[in-house]
Amino acid sequence: MLRPFTLHRPETAEEACALLAELGEDAAAYAGGTELLLLMKLDLLRLRHLVDVKRIPRFGEIGPGPRATSGARLTIGAAVTHRAVERSPLVGARCPLVASVARHVANVRVRNVGTVGGNLAFADPHSDLATLFLTLDASVELVSPRGRRELPLGDFVRGPWETARAADELLASVTLTPWGGDTAAAYVKFGVYERPTLAVAAALRLDGTAGAQRSGDRIVDARLAIGCVGPTPVRLADVVIGVLPQKQHLHFVVWRIFQSIEDVFLRWEDGVIAPLLRDELLQLLEVRLVELRRQHVAPALRDALQVHRGISTG
Ligand SMILES: Cc1cc2nc3c(=O)[nH]c(=O)nc-3n(C[C@H](O)[C@H](O)[C@H](O)COP(=O)(O)OP(=O)(O)OC[C@H]3O[C@@H](n4cnc5c(N)ncnc54)[C@H](O)[C@@H]3O)c2cc1C
């Protein structure tokens, strides 16, 4: 049962932050409510005030974002819904994979009201967006009565359900740096019910200029991130693989991803899970990983590369 609360509907970020500062622990920002209202209904969270951020104009916009030396960027306001991301022509043009991942978040009911900002601010380790956005060098913009600040997404998400956001700060937007046209990218998730339980994002940059003879056969570097296996999504150190014989490129990338998943999982489990349970989990994970590698990740990466240039990946 939902306990009574007051819904505040400020029109500006300043007003919303002032409310959060004044109401303190009794209040929280409220966007789509898909996580917040659930916790309140289960009585896991007791709040007497919700501060709706959906009327703040800039929070609901998708725009080109500030230009970076690396080229055009993309800014998505915190109150933009997954559905709007999926349908945005700008997202489709600049980051088509982001649009296609948005299409597979949760179910249509959640996508219609759930927001990008709510997803990132909630910091669920099972967030598709946080994992994918790490490979897009995402940074988040936070606003508060003290002004605005920008943080790399990797520094913003600190742990499971924990971020660097102060109590009176709001997440205003996230800015992505789209990959260049010489990149093939894939996102693969393995889900139980509607939530992802293991996710891999991979963007592979190819050598040479478009259209050049046999260009694209070499993968010059790979940006990889994995989600759901640790307390936060993890961006792996960029892998430079141009030196490997051509036929091994894809196999190397896939091998590297799975080696890192196991590393992250082992590191995490060391700290929090009893040894007996850990062994069982590892056995389970091993079966899952083999299945995931064979059936999902390797084919998805191969498809991404083939669609990109029609190249042979060996
Ligand atoms: C059934 C189900 C399936 C799901 N499946 C997936 C999935 O497959 N992949 C995936 O990535 N996610 C999934 N999710 C999570 C979903 O993406 C989030 O529920 C949604 O995006 C959260 O956004 P919201 O607007 O509803 O947040 P709310 O519930 O309104 O808020 C969530 C949290 O963020 C805070 N918050 C919200 N906006 C701001 C802001 N602007 N600034 C600061 N703090 C803010 C709130 O105070 C709260 O703590 C699933 C959720 C459900 C319920």
Side-chain angles (χ1 to χ4, degrees):
M1 196 192 73
L2 206 51
R3 289 169 188 269
F5 60 85
T6 305
L7 182 63
H8 303 264
R9 311 194 79 189
E11 305 277 343
T12 65
E14 291 73 20
E15 224 185 301
C17 291
L19 276 166
L20 288 177
E22 181 195 324
L23 299 167
E25 287 189 352
D26 263 350
Y30 162 76
T34 58
E35 302 287 13
L36 201 59
L37 295 181
L38 196 64
L39 293 179
M40 289 171 69
K41 270 185 203 155
L42 295 172
D43 213 16
L44 294 171
L45 193 61
R46 290 186 184 179
L47 295 165
R48 291 197 294 155
H49 300 270
L50 295 186
V51 179
D52 190 345
V53 297
K54 293 190 293 295
R55 290 192 169 192
I56 304 171
R58 205 164 57 83
F59 281 28
E61 290 169 10
I62 299 178
R67 261 194 94 74
T69 37
S70 50
R73 296 208 282 178
L74 178 71
T75 293
I76 304 176
V80 171
T81 62
H82 299 295
R83 194 79 165 144
V85 170
E86 173 193 334
R87 292 179 165 185
S88 157
L90 190 60
V91 177
R94 292 213 172 154
C95 290
L97 190 60
V98 170
S100 102
V101 168
R103 197 169 305 132
H104 295 103
V105 165
N107 54 50
V108 71
R109 188 184 55 79
V110 170
R111 286 197 294 278
N112 270 334
V113 290
T115 63
V116 171
N119 184 298
L120 299 178
F122 194 58
D124 186 323
H126 303 262
S127 161
D128 284 316
L129 306 196
T131 307
L132 176 62
F133 289 180
L134 281 179
T135 64
L136 287 152
D137 293 331
S139 60
V140 295
E141 180 196 5
L142 296 162
V143 291
S144 75
R146 296 169 297 287
R148 66 175 289 282
R149 62 180 179 134
E150 209 171 306
L151 278 181
L153 179 62
D155 295 343
F156 175 69
V157 182
R158 287 206 171 144
W161 303 283
E162 189 194 336
T163 68
R165 188 178 73 82
D168 61 352
E169 265 183 323
L170 281 175
L171 180 60
S173 65
V174 57
T175 293
L176 310 175
T177 306
W179 306 299
D182 53 357
T183 302
Y187 182 82
V188 183
K189 69 172 166 176
F190 196 66
V192 174
Y193 302 112
E194 281 159 348
R195 304 258 186 178
T197 52
L198 208 161
V200 176
L204 311 178
R205 191 160 64 80
L206 310 177
D207 198 8
T209 49
Q213 270 257 308
R214 294 199 55 72
S215 72
D217 277 335
R218 271 164 51 94
I219 299 167
V220 191
D221 70 82
R223 296 190 200 183
L224 310 171
I226 53 178
C228 309
V229 284
T232 63
V234 190
R235 167 90 181 252
L236 310 180
D238 289 0
V239 191
V240 178
I241 48 184
V243 289
L244 286 178
Q246 177 193 323
K247 279 197 175 244
Q248 287 180 19
H249 287 171
L250 189 64
H251 300 303
F252 180 75
V253 174
V254 174
W255 170 78
R256 175 81 178 81
I257 292 170
F258 282 89
Q259 189 196 35
S260 305
I261 290 174
E262 283 164 25
D263 288 352
V264 171
F265 190 79
L266 279 172
R267 237 185 303 145
W268 186 38
E269 299 311 336
D270 262 347
V272 290
I273 293 199
L276 202 67
L277 185 58
R278 204 188 115 197
D279 287 348
E280 250 176 57
L281 279 172
L282 277 176
Q283 274 176 17
L284 262 178
L285 182 77
E286 214 164 283
V287 176
R288 277 273 162 90
L289 287 180
V290 171
E291 188 187 342
L292 188 72
R293 178 166 53 211
R294 288 214 188 111
Q295 293 183 16
H296 299 274
V297 176
L301 287 178
R302 199 170 297 123
D303 287 353
L305 289 169
Q306 278 163 352
V307 166
H308 193 77
R309 288 257 175 86
I311 62 174
S312 152
T313 51

